[in-house]
Amino acid sequence: MMFIAVVITSSLIIISLSTCTPPPEDPIHCSNSTTSCTITNYIGAFPDRSTCRASGAAYPATEDELIAVVADGARARRKMKVATRSHHSIPKLACPGGEGGLLISTKFLGRVLAVDKEARTVTVESGVTLRQLIEAAAEAGLALPYSPYWWGLTVGGMLATGAHGSSLWARQGGAVHDYVAEMTMVSPGTAADGYARVRRLKEGDSTEINAAKVSLGVLGTIYKVTFKLQPMFKRSLTYMQKDDKELGDEAIAFGSKHEFADLSWFPSLGKVIYRIDDRVASNAVGNGIYDFIGFRSTFSSALAIIRSVEDIQESTKDADARCLSGKLLSSDLESAAFGLTNDGLTFTAYPVIGYHNHLQASGSCLDSAGDGLITACPWDSRIKAQFFHQTSFSIALSDAKDFIHDVQTLVALDPRSLCVIDQYNGILIRYVTASNAYLGKQEDGLDFDLTYYRSKEPAMPRLFEDILEEIEQMAVFKYGGLPHWGKNRNVAFEGVMRKYKRGEEFVRVKEEYDPLGLFSSDWTDQVLGLRVGLMIFRDGCGLEGLCVCSEDRHCAPGEGFFCRPGKVYKNARVCRNI
């Protein structure tokens, strides 16, 4: 999930609240109850801006109902895709392809089934949110040690995309899927199976669970998952600002010193916010809470103002105004301690000490019953709000210093060039560890997450378009970066399966579980290297990350943007304003 912040500032008049946001609407919309449907993601647009259509949607509420839905689809040889309650994945993972497919929602598969305090496990249905999982564990004095920071994700969504936290200390792994002990999955079957097969996978019994842990949704649909947990503990959190001159040398060492470390890097400002975050004794005094400001309710009118300001700055190519806005926002976030409080009400000083479940994730903009969209989450697609691209990738520890240096060299050519990400809390850098999941992280590394402005007009180029494209291509092509499965534009996935040592084994399991490819689509086949066409070459395709430009028409020559080599990574081909 992105880190986007909206706070009160004297210049931007942006107001953040803690209550009153209507719950996100179902990403599935059907013209007639559960037929003639469309699905979109949480920002309201897939990378190619296409409309994803399906002939129907199903909302199973039990395991038996889920089995029946899959069986009916398999009997009819119908394409199927699983959809979560808010679909927080940007790529087209939930689109079945064509218009005759079926969407299977996990909206009503949201129960905590069992908590075993002695065994330190919790079993949940796949539609359970991260927040529900955290709370159920905490009630039994248990904790999921590492997780994403946004608690609106579902268990099924996290396992489909390899969602993770931040730590190099995690011997078992720093992603949610690394704590899966058992899983029940329903995949298509033959007539002899009743057209559906229930697969009960257990860690240690079969290596197939390593394919299911990060599945992209192509193996079938997950019904329930059992997680291995740890005893509850407390953490101590402090944010510290430094300049970024030694970031390349310091980044790896910092992650080795602090268990829950992360970094927020602002290259144009030349600064880094270091998160010093570690376990402390259970009797340490403190009841801190992290209600991250960027995940709080915000007045819709304020969101419209900030989006209008962004649109004006972009259309006029006003880099100085972009930099000023980003600098003010960054300063105000620091002044507000990013949403940390020492006692749930006020922030007095660092460190903030509190229980793990109160610091590991947040998302209070999802809390209330609704107010007619007077307030909303900052990215709510039903209003004029934030609309963005996300580029997220992990770089091996051995290459991280060189990558950081290349980015610094690129930014030094024009220090204003990455002001465009300052308003989105800079580059979030998290620490990731190698996983035994076939499509999980292949080695320890740094995960870089960039969120940046996207125009509502697909043919409209962005301010410093070329710099962000060069960083994207540098990461995935020069340094072999692994893209986050739930984020990114098409370019980031080009040739991705060559980077996974067990990629062929994953495809083998996929073909065994779903030989007809009913849970696959053209897009997932393209990503898995089973079909060509991932790159979409058309006018303006480079602007949207649908292709690496090779002709000027792939950019916006009418707006003065032409396809040119990169400035630091010479093999890059980017859309530059000439």
Side-chain angles (χ1 to χ4, degrees):
M1 185 63 192
M2 84 300 295
F3 266 47
I4 301 173
V6 185
V7 297
I8 298 177
T9 75
S10 58
S11 57
L12 295 179
I13 323 175
I14 304 305
I15 302 173
S16 175
L17 305 174
S18 58
T19 60
C20 303
T21 297
E25 64 178 349
D26 193 326
I28 300 173
H29 294 273
C30 300
S31 61
N32 182 20
S33 183
T34 57
T35 60
S36 300
C37 306
T38 62
I39 185 172
T40 188
N41 56 26
Y42 73 109
I43 60 171
F46 291 117
D48 64 358
R49 302 189 189 237
S50 64
T51 299
C52 177
R53 303 185 185 279
S55 62
Y59 290 82
T62 66
E63 181 177 10
D64 287 343
E65 289 181 6
L66 179 61
I67 293 169
V69 167
V70 173
D72 287 346
R75 185 181 294 108
R77 296 197 170 192
R78 192 180 189 186
K79 288 284 188 178
M80 295 174 275
K81 280 292 181 182
V82 179
T84 64
R85 66 179 68 186
S86 54
H87 192 29
H88 272 283
S89 294
I90 288 180
K92 297 172 70 174
L93 289 171
C95 187
E99 298 190 6
L102 176 69
L103 298 168
I104 304 174
S105 174
T106 60
K107 184 176 183 178
F108 299 122
L109 294 173
R111 290 177 288 271
V112 176
L113 300 175
V115 180
D116 189 327
K117 188 172 183 177
E118 291 187 4
R120 297 179 184 171
T121 61
V122 61
T123 301
V124 299
E125 292 180 321
S126 64
V128 160
T129 63
L130 176 59
R131 182 183 189 179
Q132 289 175 276
L133 176 59
I134 290 170
E135 290 178 346
E139 288 176 5
L142 300 172
L144 178 69
Y146 309 103
S147 72
Y149 298 161
W150 166 250
W151 68 28
L153 305 175
T154 66
V155 166
M158 290 188 291
L159 298 188
T161 60
H164 57 84
S166 180
S167 185
L168 286 180
W169 288 33
R171 286 176 294 178
Q172 186 173 323
V176 174
H177 59 261
D178 291 318
Y179 294 84
V180 172
E182 299 181 35
M183 182 188 304
T184 297
M185 174 177 284
V186 183
S187 58
T190 64
D193 301 317
Y195 292 100
R197 286 197 61 181
V198 179
R199 301 178 186 272
R200 306 195 189 278
L201 307 175
K202 186 175 182 180
E203 186 76 14
D205 286 357
S206 170
T207 58
E208 291 176 3
I209 194 171
N210 294 329
K213 285 179 178 179
V214 182
S215 68
L216 309 188
V218 300
L219 305 184
T221 176
I222 299 169
Y223 167 59
K224 66 179 180 180
V225 181
T226 298
F227 290 98
K228 297 169 286 188
L229 305 176
Q230 296 180 3
M232 180 56 70
F233 54 91
K234 278 190 165 183
R235 287 162 56 176
S236 172
L237 195 164
T238 297
Y239 281 112
M240 176 185 69
Q241 178 183 324
K242 295 178 64 176
D243 66 52
D244 69 352
K245 293 178 182 177
E246 305 300 325
L247 178 60
D249 291 315
E250 293 179 347
I252 297 173
F254 183 71
S256 299
K257 293 176 183 177
H258 303 287
E259 182 175 3
F260 301 99
D262 71 28
L263 309 163
S264 293
W265 181 24
F266 299 80
S268 286
L269 297 176
K271 74 175 187 180
V272 185
I273 306 297
Y274 288 76
R275 178 174 177 152
I276 303 169
D277 194 348
D278 295 288
R279 299 190 196 214
V280 292
S282 59
N283 60 354
V285 177
N287 192 28
I289 292 177
Y290 202 164
D291 181 14
F292 179 61
I293 290 173
F295 296 162
R296 294 181 185 176
S297 300
T298 305
F299 280 118
S300 297
S301 56
L303 292 170
I305 291 171
I306 196 170
R307 178 65 191 190
S308 294
V309 170
E310 278 194 288
D311 288 339
I312 292 170
Q313 292 171 346
E314 287 284 334
S315 64
T316 59
K317 301 295 185 286
D318 193 341
D320 292 333
R322 266 304 215 184
C323 290
L324 178 60
S325 296
K327 185 175 182 179
L328 289 171
L329 184 63
S330 172
S331 176
D332 286 332
L333 272 173
E334 290 180 62
S335 298
F338 302 91
L340 284 164
T341 56
N342 296 88
D343 57 3
L345 296 174
T346 58
F347 172 77
T348 55
Y350 290 120
V352 173
I353 297 173
Y355 285 102
H356 176 61
N357 60 304
H358 292 156
L359 297 174
Q360 71 183 111
S362 63
S364 60
C365 69
L366 297 177
D367 282 349
S368 66
D371 61 4
L373 287 174
I374 294 174
T375 62
C377 289
W379 51 84
D380 196 310
S381 63
R382 293 170 289 181
I383 60 173
K384 185 175 183 178
Q386 293 166 337
F387 184 64
F388 45 78
H389 288 295
Q390 276 193 297
T391 296
S392 181
F393 46 83
S394 59
I395 303 290
L397 289 182
S398 57
D399 291 327
K401 179 180 177 179
D402 289 340
F403 172 72
I404 290 170
H405 180 262
D406 277 355
V407 173
Q408 290 174 323
T409 301
L410 184 60
V411 174
L413 298 176
D414 188 338
R416 304 174 302 167
S417 60
L418 283 186
C419 288
V420 293
I421 64 172
D422 291 348
Q423 195 165 314
Y424 296 83
N425 210 27
I427 301 175
L428 174 64
I429 304 176
R430 290 180 289 172
Y431 296 90
V432 294
T433 52
S435 171
N436 62 6
Y438 294 160
L439 297 187
K441 301 302 181 185
Q442 301 296 284
E443 57 187 311
D444 295 356
L446 295 185
D447 186 88
F448 296 80
D449 201 328
L450 295 79
T451 302
Y452 48 99
Y453 175 91
R454 184 182 187 187
S455 175
K456 288 287 186 176
E457 300 296 328
M460 182 62 65
R462 301 183 312 279
L463 188 62
F464 294 109
E465 171 98 24
D466 59 321
I467 302 301
L468 288 162
E469 289 177 7
E470 185 168 346
I471 291 173
E472 178 180 50
Q473 293 177 42
M474 181 192 301
V476 298
F477 299 137
K478 179 179 179 179
Y479 289 102
L482 291 179
H484 190 301
W485 291 114
K487 304 177 184 179
N488 287 298
R489 312 180 317 162
N490 284 25
V491 166
F493 297 108
E494 178 68 13
V496 67
M497 289 302 286
R498 293 192 295 270
K499 303 174 184 179
Y500 288 92
K501 303 167 188 174
R502 306 296 295 276
E504 291 183 0
E505 185 66 12
F506 177 85
V507 173
R508 184 197 66 76
V509 175
K510 177 188 112 60
E511 292 175 348
E512 177 185 336
Y513 278 34
D514 184 16
L516 296 179
L518 300 181
F519 278 88
S520 295
S521 65
D522 287 350
W523 191 85
T524 57
D525 280 350
Q526 289 162 358
V527 168
L528 292 173
L530 304 176
R531 184 188 297 265
V532 299
L534 179 63
M535 292 283 201
I536 302 172
F537 292 97
R538 64 191 187 198
D539 290 353
C541 60
L543 305 178
E544 292 277 270
L546 300 177
C547 73
V548 173
C549 71
S550 58
E551 304 176 44
D552 289 338
R553 70 181 184 89
H554 295 155
C555 298
E559 299 290 333
F561 284 73
F562 301 88
C563 187
R564 294 293 184 268
K567 294 179 177 179
V568 173
Y569 175 44
K570 302 298 185 181
N571 288 338
R573 291 297 179 268
V574 300
C575 296
R576 180 173 298 129
N577 190 203
I578 304 299

